[in-house]
């Protein structure tokens, strides 16, 4: 286990220790049975994975007290999200965290530590999807620049391979000037991302990539 993975493991464990049973869950009777609502009202660790995944993605208006429900289930949702076992898109989970006002939770700093550690693990793993992780953590926190800064400071071959793959996708899809992150495309980041790309060192921003960057902004 790498140092980054250890950090994520410890962060998830710390957040997991905050999980507690809560009040009876009031939810949509058309989408959830009384037995499922009862399960959601009990210990978070006993909620079946399929039910957990459904709640992780469901619109907030399906619940009488969505923020409380999501806060209670967030330790498991985030553990599965960051370890690749949650069958829900990361950017959608980010939107739900924002809707649940996670930054106002009592243990919000533990959620932030999980996000920080997950970003470090992503940049250290060749098989990770850096673009999706970036989209998730940026939407959850409402800002992309700090995550881009951490990326630029991670001078490892793996992190740099993630840079070139992601930059090529942004440039060649011509999405950059109007780039918006999020499941609902709710976070506009085009200018910030373009400035970050322009500041990349020459071995990451070669002549071909700079040509595409200049071309996109000449047309914008």
């Amino acid at each position: 286990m790498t140092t980054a993975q250890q950090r994520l493991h410890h962060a998830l464990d710390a957040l997991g220790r905050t999980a507690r049973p809560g009040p009876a869950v009031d939810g949509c009777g058309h989408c959830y049975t009384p037995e499922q609502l009862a399960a959601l009202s009990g210990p978070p660790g006993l909620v079946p994975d399929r039910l957990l995944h459904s709640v992780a993605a469901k619109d907030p208006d399906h619940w009488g007290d969505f923020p409380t429900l999501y806060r209670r289930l967030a330790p498991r949702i985030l553990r599965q999200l960051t370890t690749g076992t949650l069958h829900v898109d990361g950017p959608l989970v980010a939107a739900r965290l924002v809707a649940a006002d996670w930054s106002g939770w009592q243990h919000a700093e533990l959620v932030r530590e999980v996000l920080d550690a997950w970003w470090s693990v992503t940049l250290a793993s060749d098989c990770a999807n850096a673009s999706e992780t970036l989209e998730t953590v940026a939407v959850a926190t409402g800002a992309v620049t700090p995550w881009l800064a951490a990326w630029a400071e991670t001078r490892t071959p793996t992190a740099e391979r993630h840079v070139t793959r992601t930059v090529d996708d942004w440039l060649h899809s011509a999405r950059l000037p109007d780039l918006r992150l999020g499941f609902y495309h709710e976070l506009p980041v085009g200018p910030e991302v373009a400035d970050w790309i322009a500041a990349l060192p020459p071995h990451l921003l070669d002549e071909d990539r700079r040509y595409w960057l200049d071309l996109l902004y000449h047309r914008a």
Side-chain angles (χ1 to χ4, degrees), residues 39-127:
L40 292 172
S41 303
L46 299 182
V47 175
D49 279 349
R50 186 173 180 180
L51 179 57
L52 179 76
H53 298 174
S54 175
V55 176
K58 193 67 72 174
D59 287 341
D61 60 9
H62 281 70
W63 311 101
D65 185 357
F66 171 74
T68 296
L69 175 62
Y70 219 81
R71 175 178 53 78
R72 289 179 50 246
L73 297 181
R76 281 194 62 200
I77 291 172
L78 288 173
R79 181 178 292 277
Q80 294 198 14
L81 174 65
T82 59
T83 56
T85 58
L86 186 73
H87 303 312
V88 181
D89 289 342
L92 180 56
V93 172
R96 298 294 180 254
L97 286 169
V98 171
D101 191 26
W102 74 267
S103 61
W105 294 351
Q106 181 180 359
H107 300 291
E109 75 283 356
L110 298 181
V111 175
R112 178 62 193 232
E113 175 62 12
V114 167
L115 298 177
D116 284 342
W118 184 34
W119 186 226
S120 295
V121 168
T122 296
L123 296 182
S125 173
D126 263 318
C127 62

Side-chain angles (χ1 to χ4, degrees), residues 159-173:
E160 291 187 345
R161 281 192 291 272
H162 283 307
V163 169
T164 55
R165 291 187 201 119
T166 304
V167 167
D168 285 347
D169 176 60
W170 283 336
L171 292 177
H172 294 164
S173 66

Side-chain angles (χ1 to χ4, degrees), residues 29 32 49 56 71 75 91 95 108 122 125 128 133 140 155 159 161 172 174 178 182-183 185 195 197 203-204 219:
Y32 298 97
D49 279 349
R71 175 178 53 78
T122 296
S125 173
T133 301
R155 303 296 180 86
R161 281 192 291 272
H172 294 164
D178 299 313
F183 189 83
H185 308 293
D195 288 346
I197 294 175
H203 70 286
L204 295 178
R219 291 176 174 175

Side-chain angles (χ1 to χ4, degrees), residues 123-147:
L123 296 182
S125 173
D126 263 318
C127 62
N129 187 332
S131 179
E132 182 171 336
T133 301
L134 175 67
E135 192 165 9
T136 304
V137 297
V139 169
T141 58
V144 72
T145 297
W147 306 102

